[in-house]
Amino acid sequence: MASEEELFASVDALLNEEPRLPPPAERARLRQAAGITQARLATALKTTTQSVKNWENGRSEPKSPRLDAYQRLLNGWAAKYPTPGAAPTAPTASVAATTPEASTEPAASRVETADAPQAPAVAAAALARPATPRSAAASRRPAPKKAAQPAADPRFPHGPLAVLDGDGCAYGVDGIVLDCPATTVPELVEWTLRESGLGAPRLHRNGKDSDPLIVLTAAAAVKLGLPERLEGHEQRRSLRLPEDHPVVKQVVKAKWQLTQRGFGPWARIYRKTQGRERQCVQLAILSWDALDPRSWPGVTEMEPPDIARVLGVYAQRVITPRGSTAVSGLELMTALRPPTRAVRDEATGNWVPGHNPGSLGTEPMDPAPPEATAEHPVVVESGWSGGFLNEEAYQWVRPVDLLSDGECTLPFAVGLDLNTAFLAAAARLVVGLSEPDHFHAPAFSPKIPGSWLVDLSQVEVDPRLPSPFTPDGTRPTGPAWYQTHTVAYAQELGYDVHPIEAYLRRETGAYLDPWHDRLKNAYVDTLADLGVTRELSDTEFLAAIERHKDVDPGLAAVLSAIKATVKGGIGKLRERPQGKKYKEGERWPALQRPTWRPDIRAAVISKARVNMHRKMRNMATMTGLHPLAVLSDCVVYPSPGASPLDFLPYAASGKPQPGAFRLGPTPGLAKLEGVQSMLWAVDLMEKDLNPARHIKGGDAVLDEGE
């Protein structure tokens, strides 16, 4: 037997040990009961929010003296907020160890979260928080009892998506972790639809709910029997599993279907709708390059919880990803302007699908010949040779011999980039909704969307500016086809317009308005989360925009994806045929979409180019400065200083002059793209290279929209 001395020594050792904290789940419960956020607690304890998250999910423990302070705080909270059913604890007593209430949910759908849930759509205040650290062990602990909060949609309590790792942990938005027991793709689909609680409500009352998205890490893909990588095709977009692959056979055997795109990086697995129940799951496979690094910079290198956070913010502000950002941009148009709505059949009294006014309808529509592309069946079958619309973004460099001595002596070339110029052009843009009608010698009206054959070669424009009528900035040489905005601008410049013929649309509407509004809010809100707000002065704005990508790489990736959604979505309106086997005159898959509308794409780009020219013309009037080069939404000016503040026009009051380029965080306003020496710019111009393409440095190349 142990002696009394030995027992006392053991007890003294216990007394001298560092204070013991309650279980991680209880720490989180106490903080939530007190109404304190993790960020505020981190500030009080002079630590980071991530450290607090780690303490509350059991990944790490604090050290003294922070441990003692944390213990003191938890003791105080335990006295105020005892475990339900437990006797109140005196303020000086230690926090009793508590066991979270047993969950009545199936183990596969049990949830753990480091913070109280804020509804499936991530609350704006929570967007800037890093996701809960990845921990397989943590995901399998019973969930702490959560404070009741109203959910945005009770059908989707766990948000729009989850990132599945190889250990069966499915990481959702706001730190949620689900246990996923699936070991095959059919089991994963069943679990997602029956138990996961994933999905998102429709964006329009006549639309459809967003299907749940499961993002697979490389380890998860291998666990489900998928290859880690897909190889063997010359074009990444055509990659897919062969039909005889075991996983494809499993899917078919379980009576699930794949879309025509097959089992590729973005696989849609579905069954035909039964009644009102939609059964469809979207998969995205990271190791198959589902997330293009140009649109989602750095995301594939992140841990699964952080990937879930980034995609969750995008889903909440834009749309649950359904493919590339271009595909998502196009899907967003349809989600916000559904083609059909329920209408009552007067004969039977039943509700049936009917056309939704303002939408593009359910049937594809052939363009007018000048709006099509050279390989389009409309062109090939009719033998059309009358020319095509050439409404594209600017690619222009001023001839070197038009540089003045004064310009050449300026020390700097400064590039301005217009924020989401195509998005700004989509605002209040009236486009055609019906089929085109052909007219000869019509009177021009700037209110009618369409394509006009007109001779604009007589319009005089300052040669130090690009022509507003051609993408390369050269003066037109005769009649050509133009979109309404381009012709209206010629009229604005004082030219008497006399169209030769036109293809016009009788039914019109601002189809892109809700698309513009949602993406604008997403862009502005995400920039604000990165510290770039509308309230900043121009000097503060330039400083904030310079460092915004370092504030939060995850949100910076969301911002990049939003911009790519805008340009890609507009580009998809005129998607060209893919693959070497295509033969001119054949119909390609994109033509089956009602959203294959090259005329709408032309309207957006025409308006964006006209907006750019109008600003350059106003700049010349106000400042006497003319651009050196333009590429899409980037314009380069000679400048006496290394900042846009050195050449942009301001009133005596200090306010920016309206009509010229202005700095700011909203679509259509400008930010600094890059600064180089004037000598550098002239050297490129002499080599017939575009300074706007390289002004940012690092051989930057701007995405021109398609």
Side-chain angles (χ1 to χ4, degrees), residues 137-159:
S139 69
R140 289 171 171 79
R141 292 198 309 271
K145 194 173 181 67
K146 299 187 279 288
Q149 296 191 18
D153 193 315
R155 297 172 300 157
F156 311 117
H158 300 149

Side-chain angles (χ1 to χ4, degrees), residues 202-553:
R202 65 198 67 186
L203 298 180
H204 187 282
R205 64 192 180 116
N206 294 322
K208 299 175 182 177
D209 296 330
S210 287
D211 300 317
L213 168 63
I214 301 293
V215 181
L216 303 180
T217 64
V222 171
K223 179 181 177 181
L224 294 171
L226 298 167
E228 184 173 343
R229 304 285 305 177
L230 271 183
E231 305 292 348
H233 288 269
E234 68 280 358
Q235 291 190 2
R236 299 299 300 172
R237 71 179 69 207
S238 65
L239 288 177
R240 66 189 68 187
L241 288 180
E243 292 183 1
D244 60 353
H245 191 279
V247 171
V248 176
K249 290 182 176 180
Q250 287 176 356
V251 171
V252 173
K253 185 177 180 180
K255 296 186 173 9
W256 291 99
Q257 293 178 275
L258 293 163
T259 61
Q260 291 184 349
R261 297 179 65 181
F263 205 120
W266 290 89
R268 293 179 72 80
I269 303 176
Y270 72 98
R271 283 182 182 145
K272 291 185 178 180
T273 303
Q274 301 293 328
R276 301 185 67 177
E277 281 290 320
R278 179 175 170 86
Q279 300 184 77
C280 184
V281 174
Q282 176 78 66
L283 301 182
I285 303 159
L286 294 175
S287 58
W288 295 5
D289 299 331
L291 298 181
D292 189 328
R294 294 170 298 179
S295 303
W296 301 95
V299 174
T300 54
E301 286 78 39
M302 295 179 181
E303 289 294 309
D306 299 312
I307 297 173
R309 171 185 171 245
V310 169
L311 296 179
V313 175
Y314 180 89
Q316 186 260 339
R317 294 185 172 177
V318 182
I319 192 172
T320 303
R322 303 183 184 184
S324 67
T325 47
V327 169
S328 296
L330 201 65
E331 292 279 351
L332 181 63
M333 294 180 195
T334 304
L336 295 169
R337 291 278 199 192
T340 61
R341 63 172 180 167
V343 296
R344 186 181 293 277
D345 185 334
E346 297 299 333
T348 64
N350 296 330
W351 290 94
V352 296
H355 175 66
N356 187 25
S359 75
L360 298 181
T362 58
E363 297 299 320
M365 183 186 302
D366 278 340
E371 298 166 347
T373 56
E375 66 271 17
H376 195 285
V378 164
V379 174
V380 175
E381 293 170 7
S382 67
W384 173 262
S385 59
F388 299 97
L389 279 175
N390 190 24
E391 300 288 12
E392 301 294 340
Y394 268 131
Q395 295 191 57
W396 173 82
V397 179
R398 198 199 319 174
V400 177
D401 58 5
L402 293 180
L403 292 175
S404 69
D405 292 340
E407 287 175 319
C408 291
T409 58
L410 291 173
F412 295 102
V414 177
L416 292 177
D417 175 65
L418 297 190
N419 302 323
T420 56
F422 290 169
L423 184 63
R428 314 300 173 253
L429 176 68
V430 177
V431 299
L433 301 178
S434 56
E435 292 184 332
D437 291 321
H438 192 197
F439 297 87
H440 290 279
F444 175 71
S445 170
K447 296 183 179 180
I448 302 177
S451 303
W452 309 79
L453 180 62
V454 61
D455 187 354
L456 300 180
S457 61
Q458 305 304 313
V459 183
E460 292 288 343
V461 179
D462 190 323
R464 294 169 296 179
L465 296 176
S467 167
F469 311 126
T470 60
D472 62 5
T474 59
R475 186 169 179 167
T477 57
W481 289 95
Y482 302 99
Q483 201 276 334
T484 298
H485 281 88
T486 304
V487 184
Y489 190 57
Q491 198 174 61
E492 181 182 322
L493 293 174
Y495 181 67
D496 191 12
V497 176
H498 296 286
I500 302 167
E501 59 180 303
Y503 285 90
L504 309 176
R505 288 169 167 80
R506 299 179 187 276
E507 184 184 345
T508 65
Y511 172 71
L512 293 175
D513 259 11
W515 186 82
H516 162 271
D517 293 347
R518 186 165 178 85
L519 284 168
K520 176 185 176 181
N521 290 336
Y523 181 82
V524 171
D525 291 348
T526 306
L527 261 184
D529 285 342
L530 292 167
V532 187
T533 63
R534 304 186 197 197
E535 294 75 25
L536 299 177
S537 68
D538 284 0
T539 302
E540 294 168 335
F541 167 75
L542 289 173
I545 204 71
E546 183 178 1
R547 62 174 181 267
H548 78 281
K549 292 183 180 179
D550 300 324
V551 172
D552 186 325

Side-chain angles (χ1 to χ4, degrees), residues 413 415 629 631 634 636 673-676 680-681 684-685 688-702:
L631 180 67
C634 177
V636 178
E673 178 70 9
V675 182
Q676 302 288 346
W680 170 90
L684 286 185
M685 295 166 71
D688 292 327
L689 298 175
N690 193 325
R693 187 178 295 276
H694 307 281
I695 191 74
K696 195 172 186 177
D699 291 324
V701 177
L702 297 178

